[in-house]
């Protein structure tokens, strides 16, 4: 048994070694375009719009009929360049169905995991009908959209029972500023990609600020300056959990939540950034 465990550890280390990785030692020189990232208030769910000039990327869409399709109308210039469905839970993909019905989408990324729900089946039917490029995300995938670099860390090749742990986890870099969007990934998944992570300026907390995510090792590795969680006011799950808030406070991290502030926007020129509620 010990020999098998040693062999598995060696193969895992070898696999991680040869994964493609974002080169965070090299940054592009930001131009005059501001990057704006909107953490949309969808109650108990996730929806994030990345707006960079005429390039727009939507990560998740909250529950159905939460107004995401209407919200992004103010920012989308023609076609949505990318839609990313982190995992097939209804509070992440429900609102994407209206988006796919109302917008042309160039590329759709999802985590490749089947899920037994009507919401998932309806969503995948719309994905098939969209006519977009459809991609299954894997750890090590890198996407370059002009001056924006997106790097995927999860899902990898580990085996988990929890659907949250197959969430797409990705970073976004513009100039010197790095965001990390953790989906609903929990501590077991965090341990898989921990050593691949860069220092992060702005973290979208995993699983709505739950105690099941944001392990001490994870937070110590990425050292965020700002943490943002998306949760419904007075939600039945108790998100964000106090353990997570305490851990972030102990590190001096500034915390923002959609439950109390509504939609939150981060604005950066690639060198400095500001974060606050959308006015």
């Amino acid at each position: 048994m010990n020999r098998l465990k040693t062999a598995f550890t060696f193969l895992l280390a070898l696999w991680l070694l040869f994964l493609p990785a974002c080169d965070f030692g090299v940054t592009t020189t930001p131009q005059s375009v501001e990057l704006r990232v909107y953490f949309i208030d969808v109650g108990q769910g996730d929806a994030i719009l990345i707006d960079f000039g005429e390039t727009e990327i939507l990560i998740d869409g909250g529950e159905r009929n939460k107004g995401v399709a209407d919200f992004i109308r103010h920012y989308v210039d023609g076609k949505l360049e990318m839609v990313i469905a982190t995992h097939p839970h209804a509070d992440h993909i429900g609102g994407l169905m209206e988006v796919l019905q109302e917008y042309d989408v160039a590329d759709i990324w999802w985590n490749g995991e089947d899920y037994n729900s009507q919401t998932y089946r309806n969503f995948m039917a719309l994905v098939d009908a969209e006519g977009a490029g459809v991609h299954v995300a894997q750890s090590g995938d890198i996407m370059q959209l002009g001056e924006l670099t997106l790097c995927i860390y999860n899902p990898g090749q580990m085996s988990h029972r929890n659907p949250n742990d197959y969430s797409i986890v990705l970073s976004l870099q513009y100039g010197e500023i790095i965001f990390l969007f953790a989906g609903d990934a929990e501590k077991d998944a965090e341990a898989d990609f921990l050593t691949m992570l860069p220092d992060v300026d702005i973290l979208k907390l995993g699983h709505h600020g739950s105690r099941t995510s944001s392990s001490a090792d994870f937070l110590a590795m990425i050292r965020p300056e700002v943490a943002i969680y998306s949760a419904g006011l007075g939600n039945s799950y108790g998100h964000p959990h106090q353990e997570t808030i305490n851990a972030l406070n102990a590190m001096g991290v500034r915390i923002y939540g959609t439950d109390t502030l509504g939609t939150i926007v981060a604005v950066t020129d690639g060198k400095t950034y500001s974060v606050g509620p959308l006015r």
Side-chain angles (χ1 to χ4, degrees):
M1 182 62 71
N2 287 337
R3 289 182 179 178
L4 286 174
K5 184 176 180 181
T6 301
F8 174 79
T9 303
F10 172 77
L11 290 172
L12 174 60
L14 194 63
W15 174 70
L16 292 173
L17 179 66
F18 287 100
L19 273 178
C22 288
D23 184 356
F24 290 102
V26 178
T27 60
T28 58
T29 301
Q31 303 300 316
S32 58
V33 178
E34 281 188 329
L35 169 66
R36 293 176 174 265
V37 181
Y38 299 89
F39 300 83
I40 306 169
D41 179 13
V42 291
Q44 187 65 22
D46 270 16
I48 300 160
L49 177 68
I50 298 166
D51 184 18
F52 184 65
E54 296 184 353
T55 298
E56 286 82 34
I57 301 165
L58 182 63
I59 304 174
D60 290 334
E63 291 274 5
R64 194 159 195 174
N65 301 320
K66 287 293 184 179
V68 169
D70 288 336
F71 178 91
I72 68 174
R73 204 177 312 280
H74 301 287
Y75 307 100
V76 174
D77 305 290
K79 180 177 289 192
L80 262 170
E81 275 67 34
M82 192 180 299
V83 165
I84 300 171
T86 61
H87 64 296
H89 285 165
D91 61 326
H92 290 254
I93 65 170
L96 292 180
M97 288 190 277
E98 282 84 0
V99 171
L100 294 178
Q101 289 170 327
E102 296 183 29
Y103 293 85
D104 290 331
V105 179
D107 288 284
I108 300 170
W109 288 74
W110 69 299
N111 70 351
E113 291 297 315
D114 290 333
Y115 192 66
N116 184 24
S117 77
Q118 192 60 51
T119 298
Y120 166 76
R121 289 187 286 271
N122 292 343
F123 171 71
M124 291 307 299
L126 289 168
V127 168
D128 291 340
E130 179 66 26
V134 179
H135 313 273
V136 175
Q138 285 290 315
S139 179
D141 288 339
I142 299 171
M143 297 162 277
Q144 193 75 42
L145 282 78
E147 297 170 86
L148 303 182
T149 303
L150 295 94
C151 188
I152 293 176
Y153 303 98
N154 197 60
Q157 296 184 5
M158 301 297 97
S159 176
H160 296 288
R161 295 181 179 179
N162 185 348
N164 286 338
D165 285 333
Y166 289 103
S167 291
I168 295 175
V169 176
L170 72 156
S171 63
L172 166 68
Q173 181 179 15
Y174 177 45
E176 301 169 8
I177 305 302
I178 299 176
F179 295 75
L180 185 69
F181 308 102
D184 273 2
E186 300 188 4
K187 292 178 181 179
D188 285 348
E190 289 172 357
D192 290 343
F193 56 80
L194 194 64
T195 58
M196 295 185 281
L197 294 171
D199 285 355
V200 168
D201 298 287
I202 299 173
L203 166 67
K204 198 293 293 185
L205 283 168
H207 203 190
H208 318 288
S210 170
R211 65 174 68 90
T212 62
S213 302
S214 305
S215 69
D217 287 343
F218 174 79
L219 293 176
M221 178 64 70
I222 64 174
R223 298 185 297 176
E225 296 177 356
V226 169
I228 299 172
Y229 66 85
S230 182
L233 186 63
N235 67 85
S236 61
Y237 305 98
H239 295 155
H241 288 151
Q242 194 60 48
E243 295 93 325
T244 303
I245 299 301
N246 291 345
L248 294 168
N249 283 334
M251 297 177 67
V253 179
R254 303 198 304 276
I255 306 168
Y256 300 81
T258 61
D259 56 349
T260 57
L261 297 174
T263 295
I264 296 161
V265 58
V267 182
T268 178
D269 61 1
K271 293 184 178 179
T272 62
Y273 65 85
S274 62
V275 179
L278 180 63
R279 303 297 184 188

